[in-house]
Amino acid sequence: MEVIVVRLRLNLGYDGGGFSGWARQPALRTVQGEIEQALGRILRIAEPVLTVAGRTDAGVHARGQVAHVDVPGEVLVRLDGNRPHALGTDERLSVLVRRLGGVLPPDVRVFRVSVAPEGFDARFSALSRRYAYRVSDAAGGCDPLRRHEVLWHNRPLDLDALNAAAARLLGEHDFAAFCKKREGATTIRELQRLDWAREPGGVLVATVVADAFCHSMVRALVGSLLAAGDGRRPVEWPGQVLAAGVRDTGVHVAPAHGLCLEEVRYPADAELADRASATRRVRTLEV
């Protein structure tokens, strides 16, 4: 008898401070590990495997993370419990969200579960990821209630200098100078947006959008821009590092706790499979 598999999309968020990153690792507490354990317990299945839009590093937060998991369709019926009438799919998934809320620790939440459209892949179907990096340059330090999500930078930062330096990094480039190289993985990315704004309370927020990011890329970009923003380096320097194409010891990777994954964007349902197929192709820069 053929087993019908249902792909579920999960929208979730977490405080990364208590996790050793997203990806499951032996003997370490991870976001993936916590959610997979909770799903297995509630659905009574062994080792559900999540695929995520972006694997965040240890200490990095998310409020707009997306993942998918494939489960046998029959397990959703278990969510009916002892109700006299069978629930519809949407009702069952609402029950699953509530039960996850009761099982998961408070530093990770699943906001919504839905049946994924045909062709959906949380990782490969994504058009872009949007991150925010938050920095305070207040003389006495940042608001202590925001210390786990805002970096304190102990030098005044010039907003115009930050944006002038950031503009030199936009576009499709080989970001090898800002990435930790991984065997077989490309470092070519399209940086679609990188700009800074100062909130009414004084916190500076960098908005960073790309089709994808390589390991440590956002934090390395921010680290280079802070050096330009506080005057230790000229505004041209981050662009020069990018053009050199090799890791520069002068680039300090910004701490993880200031970074948050805010949003993952996907195309229309009819374009999901084509997008996933295109993303799987390893890119090279055209000469």
Side-chain angles (χ1 to χ4, degrees), residues 15-241:
D15 177 342
F19 294 101
S20 297
W22 165 269
R24 184 177 56 239
Q25 301 177 63
L28 293 176
R29 185 172 186 258
T30 67
V31 182
Q32 181 182 12
E34 290 285 355
I35 298 175
E36 288 179 351
Q37 183 180 34
L39 283 170
R41 175 179 169 185
I42 294 168
L43 298 177
R44 286 176 279 170
I45 55 177
E47 299 181 359
V49 178
L50 286 164
T51 297
V52 73
R55 290 188 174 192
T56 49
D57 294 336
V60 176
H61 313 300
R63 59 168 53 92
Q65 182 69 277
V66 179
H68 78 247
V69 62
D70 295 331
V71 301
E74 63 188 29
V75 307
L76 298 181
V77 178
R78 298 171 187 167
L79 296 169
D80 288 349
N82 296 320
R83 294 173 180 84
H85 304 290
L87 299 177
T89 300
D90 290 343
E91 293 174 305
R92 287 171 179 158
L93 296 180
S94 293
V95 170
L96 177 57
V97 170
R98 287 197 298 273
R99 291 189 182 176
L100 285 168
V103 170
L104 286 168
D107 53 357
V108 55
R109 297 284 95 182
V110 173
F111 305 127
R112 183 171 182 262
V113 179
S114 57
V115 175
E118 184 176 354
F120 176 82
D121 185 291
R123 177 185 176 190
F124 289 109
S125 295
L127 288 173
S128 64
R129 287 90 171 159
R130 175 170 61 87
Y131 282 86
Y133 197 98
R134 295 175 172 86
V135 182
S136 171
D137 61 350
C142 70
D143 178 349
L145 297 183
R146 300 189 68 184
R147 69 191 185 280
H148 299 301
E149 59 157 345
V150 178
L151 172 70
W152 181 48
H153 190 73
N154 192 19
R155 291 184 176 90
L157 290 163
D158 183 281
L159 182 60
D160 291 336
L162 287 168
N163 280 318
R168 290 165 165 81
L169 302 171
L170 293 171
E172 187 177 56
H173 306 284
D174 187 339
F175 283 91
F178 296 99
C179 297
K180 291 182 179 178
K181 183 69 175 176
R182 286 180 170 172
E183 190 67 30
T186 180
T187 50
I188 297 171
R189 298 289 188 266
E190 182 188 3
L191 189 57
Q192 300 166 358
R193 179 180 174 186
L194 176 54
D195 56 60
W196 293 80
R198 193 180 287 274
E199 295 180 337
V203 171
L204 286 150
V205 182
T207 299
V208 193
V209 179
D211 54 352
F213 293 93
C214 44
H215 190 214
S216 82
M217 178 176 164
V218 178
R219 291 163 57 201
L221 290 171
V222 169
S224 72
L225 295 176
L226 292 177
D230 66 18
R232 287 176 292 151
R233 298 278 189 169
V235 295
E236 296 82 9
W237 180 67
Q240 293 166 353
V241 171

Side-chain angles (χ1 to χ4, degrees), residues 3-14:
V3 176
I4 297 175
V5 175
V6 178
R7 175 160 292 186
L8 300 178
R9 169 177 168 161
L10 285 70
N11 292 66
L12 55 118
Y14 44 87

